[in-house]
Structures are given as C-alpha cells and as structure tokens.
C-alpha cells in the first residue's frame, strides 16, 4: 500500500501489543505467507479461516480485523498512533445473523469496561440493574443503547468484545500512569525559575 510515493510500514513492537488485546486461549500465530510490509496477519493453528489482521492505513492509523471460522469479519477496530501508543478510536462488531457491523462509541465502550461480565447474559443483566437508578436522561439513553447493541451480538462476539475492551483499557490505564510518572520525574529534574535566577 502506498500513500504518495511513501511505503507505510507497521511500527516495530506494535503488532505484539495490539495482538495482546485480541489473543485468547487459542493463540494467534504470525503468518509469513499472508503478511507483508503494510499488513500483518495472525492465524490460528487449528483453523485456517480465523484471522487477526493488522493493517496500517496511514502513518498514524491502524485497522484491526478479526474473522470467525467461516472467514466472516466479526470485529473491526480502528487505532490512532499517539506517541507510538495505539489509542482505540472506533469499535465495530458483527450483528448476529447479518453481515451488518454495529458501531460502539466511546461512552458505550466505557460502560462495557465497567460493567462487562464474562458472558453476554451477565453483562446485560449488570447494565439492566443500573438502569432504574439513573436519573440523568442522557446517561439512561447511553445505557439503553449499549444494551440494545449487546443483545444484537452473538454470545461469542459479545464475550470477545468484553474481554478485548477490558485488556485494552487496563493497558491504556497503565500507559497513562507510566506517562504521568515519567513527566513528574522529568519535572523534578528541571531547576525551578527561582533556582535558575540564583545561578
């Protein structure tokens, strides 16, 4: 893939960190046959149709696609590379029994992170339980929309979405803490304005 004359290559180390969000008990193995400079493909040993594809769309955009054992795309997530750290900016999951993708916004993803359980029924039950307690109409709408969307997913897709969201959010939180600590350390090293004047 070329943008202008420049070949876009996936940054080193990025595939492993992204793969970690999606890799479950069936480990994904990097496929040398299907991978190239702008696209890295991971396959499963037991199944030739279940792929995890990382495609560099631009210098700072990566799309991650996941397929099921029939080769149908069940997940499509978009990431922006901010200071070499992938930030998720778009989440889509396959609607059960159709070829349509359901899009989840940032608020809905945060709800899944906070209230997601191992199974679809448990996640929906924990979201349904908070609905009567919500006074704010906008928040109530977000919870209702999230429930509707989760109910449209298959059991497997819903469980994978919850697991991926939790792994990603925990990594983002750790990265944010590390960044803040590094900044604080850097600031501690800098001489203050008053010290500078004395010298």
């Amino acid at each position: 893939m070329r943008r202008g004359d420049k070949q876009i290559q996936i940054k080193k180390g990025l595939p492993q960190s992204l793969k970690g969000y999606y890799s479950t008990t069936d480990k994904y193995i990097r496929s040398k046959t299907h991978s190239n400079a702008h696209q890295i493909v991971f396959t499963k040993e037991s199944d030739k149709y279940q792929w995890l594809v990382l495609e560099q769309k631009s210098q700072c955009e990566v799309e991650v696609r996941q397929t099921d054992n029939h080769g149908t795309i069940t997940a499509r997530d978009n990431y922006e590379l901010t200071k070499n750290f992938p930030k998720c900016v778009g989440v889509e999951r396959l609607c059960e029994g159709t070829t349509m993708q359901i899009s989840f916004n940032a608020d809905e993803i945060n709800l899944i992170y906070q209230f997601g359980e191992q199974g679809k029924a448990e996640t929906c039950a924990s979201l349904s339980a908070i609905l009567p307690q919500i006074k704010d109409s906008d928040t109530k709408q977000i919870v209702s929309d999230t429930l509707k969307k989760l109910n449209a997913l298959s059991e497997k897709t819903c469980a994978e979405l919850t697991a991926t969201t939790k792994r990603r959010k925990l990594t983002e939180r750790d990265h944010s803490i590390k960044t803040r600590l590094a900044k604080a350390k850097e600031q501690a090293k800098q001489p203050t304005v008053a010290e500078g004047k004395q010298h």
Side-chain angles (χ1 to χ4, degrees), residues 104-117:
F104 289 84
N105 65 33
D107 289 331
E108 292 160 350
I109 287 299
N110 283 332
L111 275 175
I112 293 166
Y113 170 57
Q114 289 173 316
F115 297 96
E117 303 288 342

Side-chain angles (χ1 to χ4, degrees), residues 35-66:
S35 300
N36 54 41
H38 68 272
Q39 178 175 284
I40 291 171
V41 175
F42 294 95
T43 55
K44 288 188 178 181
E45 213 169 15
S46 55
D47 196 314
K48 62 178 180 198
Y49 294 110
Q50 287 192 60
W51 285 18
L52 181 71
V53 181
L54 275 63
E55 187 184 341
Q56 189 99 30
K57 293 288 192 182
S58 73
Q59 221 46 61
C60 55
E61 288 173 291
V62 174
E63 184 182 87
V64 179
R65 294 187 300 277
Q66 210 170 6

Side-chain angles (χ1 to χ4, degrees), residues 1-198:
M1 181 188 290
R2 291 183 179 275
R3 296 280 186 275
D5 294 323
K6 209 171 175 186
Q7 176 82 34
I8 294 166
Q9 290 202 345
I10 290 185
K11 288 180 172 61
K12 213 177 170 188
L14 183 67
Q16 286 309 318
S17 59
L18 285 177
K19 185 184 81 142
Y21 299 156
Y22 301 87
S23 211
T24 50
T25 42
D26 304 327
K27 296 279 184 281
Y28 281 108
I29 305 146
R30 189 170 176 152
S31 162
K32 287 193 173 88
T33 321
H34 303 293
S35 300
N36 54 41
H38 68 272
Q39 178 175 284
I40 291 171
V41 175
F42 294 95
T43 55
K44 288 188 178 181
E45 213 169 15
S46 55
D47 196 314
K48 62 178 180 198
Y49 294 110
Q50 287 192 60
W51 285 18
L52 181 71
V53 181
L54 275 63
E55 187 184 341
Q56 189 99 30
K57 293 288 192 182
S58 73
Q59 221 46 61
C60 55
E61 288 173 291
V62 174
E63 184 182 87
V64 179
R65 294 187 300 277
Q66 210 170 6
T67 57
D68 62 13
N69 53 1
H70 303 293
T72 307
I73 295 172
T74 56
R76 185 187 273 116
D77 295 340
N78 287 290
Y79 291 86
E80 253 175 29
L81 304 181
T82 53
K83 291 185 180 163
N84 287 339
F85 186 78
K87 182 178 185 273
C88 186
V89 291
V91 174
E92 288 179 12
R93 290 298 177 274
L94 183 71
C95 177
E96 190 175 23
T98 71
T99 53
M100 196 179 77
Q101 295 278 342
I102 297 171
S103 183
F104 289 84
N105 65 33
D107 289 331
E108 292 160 350
I109 287 299
N110 283 332
L111 275 175
I112 293 166
Y113 170 57
Q114 289 173 316
F115 297 96
E117 303 288 342
Q118 281 207 307
K120 177 177 162 179
E122 294 91 331
T123 299
C124 291
S126 69
L127 283 170
S128 297
I130 63 163
L131 257 180
Q133 301 156 33
I134 301 167
K135 302 282 182 274
D136 177 62
S137 59
D138 288 346
T139 309
K140 212 178 190 100
Q141 190 61 56
I142 292 164
V143 177
S144 296
D145 289 347
T146 309
L147 266 166
K148 210 179 287 176
K149 289 178 182 184
L150 289 174
N151 275 313
L153 305 180
S154 71
E155 187 67 49
K156 190 171 186 276
T157 302
C158 187
E160 281 177 350
L161 171 63
T162 305
T164 300
T165 301
K166 286 189 179 279
R167 281 193 286 261
R168 184 171 57 230
K169 287 281 184 187
L170 289 170
T171 307
E172 283 171 1
R173 192 192 66 186
D174 291 349
H175 177 77
S176 165
I177 291 166
K178 276 182 195 157
T179 307
R180 285 203 300 268
L181 286 172
K183 254 187 200 159
K185 251 186 196 170
E186 205 50 51
Q187 282 171 342
K189 282 183 197 168
Q190 303 286 329
T192 61
V193 176
E195 281 173 358
K197 279 181 182 167
Q198 283 169 3

